[in-house]
Amino acid sequence: MSALSPLTLAMPFALLVVLLAPAIDAQTDFTDVERRSGYALRGDTAVFLFDEMVHGERPGIVSVTGSMRAWSQDMNESPWLLHSVTGSGLWLLRMPGRSDALRDTEFKFRTDEGKWIPPPPAALNVRSGNLVFDPQEQRPEYRAEIVAPRHIRFFLLRGEAELQLDPAAYEIETAQGRRIAVLSLFWTGRNTLQIYPAEDLDIRRVHFLRVNSKGLRLLCSFDGWLRHTYTPLELGARYHTNTDSTVFRIIAPRADSVVLYLYSERTGAHTARHPMRRNSDGSWEHARNGDLEGSWYDFTVHGPPDPGNEFFEQMPVHISDPWARVSDDSFGRSRVRRPETPPPPVKGGRPKMEDVIAYEVHLEDFTLTLPGLAGEKRGSFAGFIESGLYNKRGEAVGFDYLVNLGINVVHLLPVQEFLHYPDDEWRSAFMNDAYMREQMVAESNYQWGYRTSHAMALESRYRTRGSDFGSQNRDFRNLVAAFHEKGIAVIVDLVFNHTAERMDSREMYFHFRVLDRHLWYRTGDDLNFIGEYGTETKSEDRPMTARWIYDQCELLVREYGVDGFRIDLAGLTDKLTLHELRRRLGPDIIIYGEPWIASSDPDYEANPDWNWYKEDAPITFFQDDTRNALCGPPDNPRDKRTDRGYAGGNGNREAAKHALANTFEHEDSPNKGINYLDIHDNWALADRFAERDWNGLLGVDEGPYRIAAAMLFTSLGPIVLHGGSEFMRSKGATPLVSYVKHTATGPVYIHGKRDTYNLRKPNLFDWDVLGTNRADGAACNYGQMAAYWKGLIALRKSSWGKVFRIDKGISKDYIRWTEPDNPMVLGYVVGGSVAVAVNTADTPCIVDSFTLPAGSWELVVNDERAGTETISGYPESSLHGGSVTLTLPPQSVRIWVRR
């Protein structure tokens, strides 16, 4: 499209669309501006428009959400689903008679598993990170905050308007409807007024500001007060030797009273009840003589019945301690437990970020089927480090297998106490359900762990069966020690962005929402929770929530020796908090995480000090662009040729080059992004590269699979592997179907193979396939592929592999590319020391201009073997510097090192 004139750029956006629009075909004829803006107007018909080319996505489902539907997260609400126009790459939703109603509403598209699609860079109709339908002049937005008993802060948040200076124009209203006059007003900043009421307000109570001249009734948000609320005192239950007393402490600044209950057993009546003393900082405490190690406890929290409060008078529940070191599952009581003695550090030191070769694994998946492991240790921390286990072919499995594989970081899916629905409730619902029995989840609620209920406690179901509650703490400390002794760091997956209190449409009261939802969570002007997962924790403007984040990380490092963290949906934790987390933990702690998704809070999205994405990431982020480039996007593939990335034959060589060099947009250093092929979410790599039916259990296209692995291991910067992908672990044991099932308390969502977070069977490690190959009658060359990945790990960790393990931006010639006319073929020499050639086509290819630096080059990786030893017996086993001619078989890879 030709450049727009200054006059055109100054026009209102809706008029601009009209002027640029040619004659429009009813189905697919839309202008470039409309395609980028995400909407079109056709008389009184509103059209939402998703263009696959504009967004760089090829989805299976497209939905639109926004302020017109209160930012609903429901992807299955049919009135908001777009429909694919066959062969056009367009998705459309036509809404007759809605053009006026949708005017100036903010919206976003979501695809497949709920991925949020950001506005395209060239869109003109962007506001606060969202697209805007037929944008008008921005309406003024106001905010009121209660700061102190005689201080209401009133300000213009966005837009243009004049603030009234007449006190008579304002009133304060309590939640019960009583009106309080305003005595005076003070300017405290541009577009900001301090309102001085005629009497002291109880700042713990809900109030509204009425601006009568504008017809406004605004909630007096607690931000003005809670952004300063903080206690430095130790929280939880802790024995102090100097006073021979156990101190219990919790924070609830808006409560009237808090009562501590003590128990001798995990169930049964309390043995003591103690009102707690309020401190001036909003914390509550009670001290008991002696060491109460092993005692059980919980609390009741009392306060006024204002809107949004969930104190005992409104919700008569006992709550557990969010700082407890031991919890009886999620629904039970807390237990007093002494700190653990930390293990020795990693032998040889923690790997630097650029050296990281992480292995992501779920503890239960890894241990439940381990040959030779005692039954009481299956699914436990202790079972994870059991040595001396072998499968029926004599192959080392479990802990020994991981040590021998050569990885230098074990990345555990969440190990903090997370939500499991009670066994009796679960069994009552599913014991006779054939599907749930077949998927091995009829007996108990399996979870990956992304539903943290008690961040300072370790998962009680990971203790050895029959052992006491709290023994898992010592077991986890020993797990870290065992890996450290082998020179392997341990990092854990943390879930800051939401908690378990509102999962699966259930209202659960563990602690935070009773203590005060407004202190811990993002809430709307209606005082209700917001967030795609039931809640969003409010890290910004809440030093106590930020402290909760810091405390759990520091505890895991200090007491258990953990070496770093992967942060789930890290984009929902504000940038300043993550920078401070890095400062507190120090530069050698490994931190990486997901830079997505968008917050449901528009104030968060609009604030550049909080909201972030790849361009200003405070941590190393998961580089999904590399995954997409090398093996395809994570969701349901449809075409083997186009949906499996460069390794699978889509011919997008430019994307593959960016993946190898870690030079996608916003990557000024290879350490900015961590590269991967697959991860626990979505499809397993084996199913993406399956020979048929997208089921890796039936066989895998092993040539492209090896190419993908070789390209990952020869990319720059850190990498993370999905545990089991090295021997083609498949999720094919569950069909690609969705169900909504129910227990007595609410729904359970089943997503099949595309998201197996609550299905046990498809996630299990099949240890018996190790050592088997097609020659043995197996569906795949499992043993050969595992050895291949082990060899690639050895190569990456070798002295030659240093060329990939770099933390600084690279020079233009650091990677020298060979690009034949056939886009399915790519050669590259990295750092003058390692040369790679791949042919992703299904036919042989001759490369007659592969240029190598001077020296002797020896083959160390081909289609059968990988490692650091020379592979002899082939014409290309030894090469000399200069221009060489290569004959590459179909779907093949070759790697040489300069001796």
Side-chain angles (χ1 to χ4, degrees), residues 788-827:
Y788 194 86
W789 284 54
K790 180 179 178 180
L792 291 173
I793 292 171
L795 175 61
R796 189 174 180 90
K797 291 174 68 178
S798 72
S799 57
W800 295 288
K802 287 181 179 179
V803 298
F804 312 119
R805 308 188 321 260
I806 59 174
D807 65 342
K808 304 254 187 321
I810 61 174
S811 62
K812 191 172 183 180
D813 61 350
Y814 187 78
I815 301 179
R816 297 191 175 184
W817 307 101
T818 296
E819 301 179 69
D821 291 339
N822 185 347
M824 312 289 273
V825 181
L826 177 63

Side-chain angles (χ1 to χ4, degrees), residues 1 39 84 95 203 311 371 383 386 408 431 444 516 537 568 610 627 682 805 807 852 880 899:
M1 187 174 71
Y39 81 92
S84 176
M95 308 189 79
I203 64 173
F311 296 126
E386 186 87 4
N408 58 16
M431 277 300 293
S444 62
D516 188 0
T537 53
D568 180 65
W610 301 339
R627 174 204 64 202
N682 310 117
R805 308 188 321 260
D807 65 342
L852 298 172
H880 297 284
R899 299 291 187 186

Side-chain angles (χ1 to χ4, degrees), residues 421 423-438 441-445 506 740-744 746-748 750:
Y421 295 119
D423 289 345
D424 55 353
E425 174 188 337
W426 194 265
R427 290 169 186 159
S428 176
F430 301 126
M431 277 300 293
N432 297 317
D433 187 307
Y435 175 84
M436 301 297 269
R437 289 201 309 271
E438 198 273 335
V441 289
E443 291 279 343
S444 62
N445 175 208
R506 289 169 173 82
V740 180
K741 297 180 177 289
H742 291 82
T743 73
V748 174
I750 306 292

Side-chain angles (χ1 to χ4, degrees), residues 100 158 208 294 354 462 466 570 579 589 604 664 668 674 696 843 850:
D100 288 341
R158 282 181 281 271
F208 299 91
E354 60 269 21
Y462 286 168
H579 276 304
I589 292 290
Y604 179 91
F664 285 107
D668 53 6
I674 186 167
T843 56
F850 192 45

